[in-house]
Amino acid sequence: MKTITHYLLLCAIAVVCVFPFWWTLVTALSTEGNIFAYPPTFWPQKPSLDNFIEVFNAIPIWRFFRNSVFIAACTVFWKLVLCSAAAYPLARMQFKGRKLVFGLILATLVLPSEVNFLVNFITVTKLSLVDTYTGVILPNVVNAVAILLLKQAFEEVPQDLIDAARVDGASEWIIFSKIMLPLIAPWLATVGILTAVEAWNEYIWPSIVMSKPDEFPLSVGVLYLRGTFGSSTRVIAAGTVLTILPTLAAFLFTQRFFMRGMDGAVK
Amino acid sequence: MREDDGARRRLDFAAWLFLAPALILLAVFSFWPVAFGSLLAFTDYSLIRETHWVGLDNFRYIFDNEMFVTGLKNSLLFLLMVPFVQIGALSLAVLVNNKLPGIRYFRAAFYVPVVTTVSVVGIMWGFMFHEQGTLNYVLQTLQLVNAPVGWLSNDTIALFAIMFVTLWRGLGWYMVMYLAALQAVPADMQEAAILDGANRWQRFWKITVPMLRPTIMICSVLSVLAALKAYQEVDVLTQGGPMNSTFTGLYYAYDQGLKHLKLPRALAASFVVSIFCVGIALLCLRYIRPKHR
């Protein structure tokens, strides 16, 4: 009896969480009937993929898709390289100024980064990076959360391994790249996945930096449908579905990483 | 001794070499904006003219401007959401912290809104909130309202509709944080309490909540900051309307700065919001720092 109420509660909340997605999917698949019909239909009417084809004809969605993949891949790559490099000395080396550097990095967590957009826009303009992917990617590749997570990962590696390598005359670079990085691979994967989803979903900053529609990522490009298809809700819904699918797929396949990664973040 | 010094210095040098790229980027895109932005808020900066120091002019302007004042009030109203998000997320975490068959799928379902682009969220909830949309239908069928509600077109309701969407998006994120913390609560403590005859409710209040205290504090602070900084949902759902009723402090900054290119005003507005954020963060740190035993 207790289990049944438990499940009922879970289902009710799940419906609230997932319903907007379901309704969008139903709308995208329907070709008939009034979208805002009373009573609304929760099942596609005359289902077909016509609306999706319409999306492909209306906006360069493949281009948007490619742009998003490119942005996400570059962001993930550079974030893993730069943040793991920064995390390593913070975790495993004693040097002057370590505490100060660490404090500065922590401080970026409290300062509202949303506010940085305005001056970063000036900076990116001055560096002539407007309308370039470098301009979209660069401000996002270093972040405190990633450095903190990776620092924690490095701290778990046994000191003996490092000492042995140092005695053998290995340079810090060799120790870092050949010994440490492979050992923290699961953590790199976690940070990578989180970053990929974040970069894929990033909306405001790319819409500030990019002005040529051809170069928009999917998250920005999908809003274009609202402009060109102001009235055709079904096409907009189809575009929306196409935008979510990759994130949903990525999320479902890597769910275990996600949850475990979060596990580490709190401990 | 000498050799040791050399090795020491080499290690120091290596450490800074490793840190340099990340620090340079942080300096350019995190520290510089804060410092430079705070300065520019007191000038008439524009990309095309010479810049002059104007003192508090920008601040006077924005505080005389109804949009910003409404925005600031709305940002504070957003704080109302914090207890709902936190209690909701914690309850959700307790609910899914069970070894029931299929529980993984429920966790996933609750997390899906978190991994969705804000633009897509805007489109979907635009459908939901439409006057003839699903939400009104459901409410009318259940006879909770007798005429369609203008969720996004009524200037007293729109802000709350947006707040609900941020709640919908935020729950899953905090749920995962709480879930992780719950799973770190040692099982033997619970078992010992069961042996001592404590019921579910007592175990929750006497064992779980105290163990979760640090997580609750961190999540609450994060959620207060997030509430003060809300603006993306405004952009994709109402763009500040109807009748400027859904402006938030930061949305005003975004609107002025990046849509109308009035950067100094925008920076003054974000300066004010930042002061709120830093002030609240400091207050929290002061009061929630773990007590020394």
Side-chain angles (χ1 to χ4, degrees), chain A residues 138-252:
Chain A
L138 218 49
N140 286 330
V141 291
V142 177
N143 98 346
V145 177
I147 295 180
L148 289 180
L149 277 173
L150 295 171
K151 173 177 176 280
Q152 210 167 3
F154 281 129
E155 278 167 355
E156 282 166 17
V157 177
Q159 180 66 32
D160 292 356
L161 272 175
I162 302 172
D163 290 341
R166 278 192 190 141
V167 169
D168 285 348
S171 69
E172 285 302 316
W173 174 250
I174 295 289
I175 298 176
F176 169 70
S177 58
K178 294 272 152 70
I179 300 174
M180 298 299 264
L181 280 188
L183 282 172
I184 63 157
W187 286 89
L188 291 173
T190 306
V191 173
I193 293 159
L194 288 172
T195 306
V197 172
E198 244 168 60
W200 186 274
N201 286 341
E202 181 92 48
Y203 157 72
I204 300 262
W205 180 246
S207 71
I208 295 169
V209 178
M210 306 309 268
S211 60
K212 299 192 186 109
D214 265 3
E215 292 164 0
F216 282 163
L218 204 49
S219 57
V220 178
V222 70
L223 277 187
Y224 234 64
L225 279 175
R226 242 183 359 193
T228 26
F229 276 90
S231 51
S232 180
T233 319
R234 287 195 194 101
V235 181
I236 299 173
T240 312
V241 171
L242 290 174
T243 310
I244 321 167
L245 275 183
T247 352
L248 279 193
F251 170 65
L252 289 177

Side-chain angles (χ1 to χ4, degrees), chain A residues 42-153:
Chain A
F42 299 121
W43 208 251
Q45 303 295 300
K46 285 255 174 108
S48 89
L49 294 176
D50 287 357
N51 298 319
F52 291 93
I53 295 164
E54 188 100 12
V55 171
F56 281 92
N57 292 333
I59 56 170
I61 195 157
W62 279 117
R63 276 201 83 126
F64 292 160
F65 183 82
R66 278 211 318 263
N67 298 341
S68 280
V69 170
F70 180 75
I71 291 174
C74 290
T75 312
V76 169
F77 177 78
W78 286 109
K79 189 184 263 189
L80 291 182
V81 170
L82 297 180
C83 290
S84 61
Y88 174 54
L90 288 174
R92 303 315 292 251
M93 291 182 187
Q94 291 301 327
F95 61 96
K96 255 194 207 133
R98 182 164 160 268
K99 278 206 170 138
L100 176 74
V101 170
F102 190 57
L104 281 175
I105 292 173
L106 279 182
T108 62
L109 284 178
V110 180
L111 291 167
S113 61
E114 282 77 358
V115 172
N116 297 350
F117 280 166
L118 299 163
V119 177
N120 283 349
F121 174 64
I122 301 175
T123 308
V124 163
T125 312
K126 290 267 158 81
L127 295 174
S128 320
L129 292 175
V130 172
D131 280 330
T132 66
Y133 290 123
T134 315
V136 176
I137 295 162
L138 218 49
N140 286 330
V141 291
V142 177
N143 98 346
V145 177
I147 295 180
L148 289 180
L149 277 173
L150 295 171
K151 173 177 176 280
Q152 210 167 3

Side-chain angles (χ1 to χ4, degrees), chain A residues 6-7 38 94 117 201 219 233, chain B residues 8 95 98 101 117 119 231:
Chain A
H6 202 129
Y7 271 115
Y38 268 63
Q94 291 301 327
F117 280 166
N201 286 341
S219 57
T233 319
Chain B
R8 165 100 257 149
L95 211 56
N98 274 305
T117 323
S119 51
Y231 78 108

Side-chain angles (χ1 to χ4, degrees), chain B residues 109-137:
Chain B
F110 300 161
Y111 197 72
V112 161
V114 182
V115 291
T116 309
T117 323
V118 70
S119 51
V120 166
V121 169
I123 293 174
M124 286 192 313
W125 280 95
F127 293 158
M128 292 294 116
F129 282 139
H130 195 278
E131 294 222 8
Q132 280 135 37
T134 325
L135 189 60
N136 275 331
Y137 170 75

